[in-house]
Amino acid sequence: GIQVEQSPPDLILQEGANSTLRCNFSDSVNNLQWFHQNPWGQLINLFYIPSGTKQNGRLSATTVATERYSLLYISSSQTTDSGVYFCAVDYRFGNEKLTFGTGTRLTIIP
Amino acid sequence: DSGVTQTPKHLITATGQRVTLRCSPRSGDLSVYWYQQSLDQGLQFLIQYYNGEERAKGNILERFSAQQFPDLHSELNLSSLELGDSALYFCASSASTDSYEQYFGPGTRLTVT
């Protein structure tokens, strides 16, 4: 099956700092999504971005499908950004199931 | 709020028992997906239903089954529960027509004692 790798596994930053999270995937995809899992366990949709660049406030994402990676940028971090960030992909030649990476745990210190 | 609802939020039960988890998709979405999040296995796809029919199966145990009803809500049935079934169970939905973006419900946290 398709492999999804996220880096770094853990990131600890001071409030106000910027960060870049990376997602590498091993094959062609139809769908790529970024999620934030908050400390209460909820999975929140951040981006649906199989290719190109999108921005939403302090967050932006870029997917380069031909090179099989995606980046999530978080600027001016706030403590509410803490949690685990997951990248998930839908293999192009499979069904619509999402295969998740192992996540990046982000901790923002006040 | 994603528009996907799941009940119950928490469930505590004993080994050997059977439970049913319920999911209502976003209005208009035809596909429902079930995922399991456990500490050792991460987030894994279990099964997908599209407009009442099973469309795809993942790492779903034979003790688990699901169905999607005519009103498009779905139920995941877990039987002969074991300690290792303790996990967060998510339901997601998508339109599966013009968009394949999946929206996740708040999850049901199952604890088997």
Side-chain angles (χ1 to χ4, degrees), chain A residues 31 33 35 37 40-43 45 47-48 86 90 95-98 100, chain B residues 31 33 35 37 43 45 48 55-56 88 90 94 96 100-104:
Chain A
N31 173 14
Q33 292 185 243
F35 297 91
Q37 187 166 37
W40 296 271
Q42 288 183 301
L43 272 173
N45 285 43
F47 293 102
Y48 171 67
F86 288 102
D90 159 19
N95 51 39
E96 296 160 31
K97 72 171 189 177
L98 288 177
F100 282 78
Chain B
S31 272
Y33 312 78
Y35 292 84
Q37 185 177 30
L43 264 156
F45 168 76
Q48 177 199 0
R55 177 170 269 194
L88 195 48
F90 287 104
S94 77
S96 283
Y100 295 89
E101 183 173 4
Q102 294 186 27
Y103 295 85
F104 281 70

Side-chain angles (χ1 to χ4, degrees), chain B residues 7-51:
Chain B
T7 57
K9 289 186 180 177
H10 302 277
L11 202 46
I12 301 174
T13 189
T15 55
Q17 296 298 305
R18 174 189 170 95
V19 297
T20 297
L21 314 183
R22 183 188 168 101
C23 167
S24 291
R26 293 186 323 153
S27 177
D29 282 357
L30 298 178
S31 272
V32 168
Y33 312 78
W34 287 97
Y35 292 84
Q36 178 194 58
Q37 185 177 30
S38 60
L39 284 174
D40 55 343
Q41 296 291 323
L43 264 156
Q44 289 203 315
F45 168 76
L46 295 178
I47 198 164
Q48 177 199 0
Y49 277 80
Y50 175 79
N51 204 18

Side-chain angles (χ1 to χ4, degrees), chain A residues 35-65:
Chain A
F35 297 91
H36 174 213
Q37 187 166 37
N38 63 23
W40 296 271
Q42 288 183 301
L43 272 173
I44 299 161
N45 285 43
L46 297 178
F47 293 102
Y48 171 67
I49 188 166
S51 63
T53 298
K54 289 186 177 180
Q55 179 151 11
N56 184 3
R58 296 181 296 104
L59 275 60
S60 64
T62 295
T63 297
V64 184

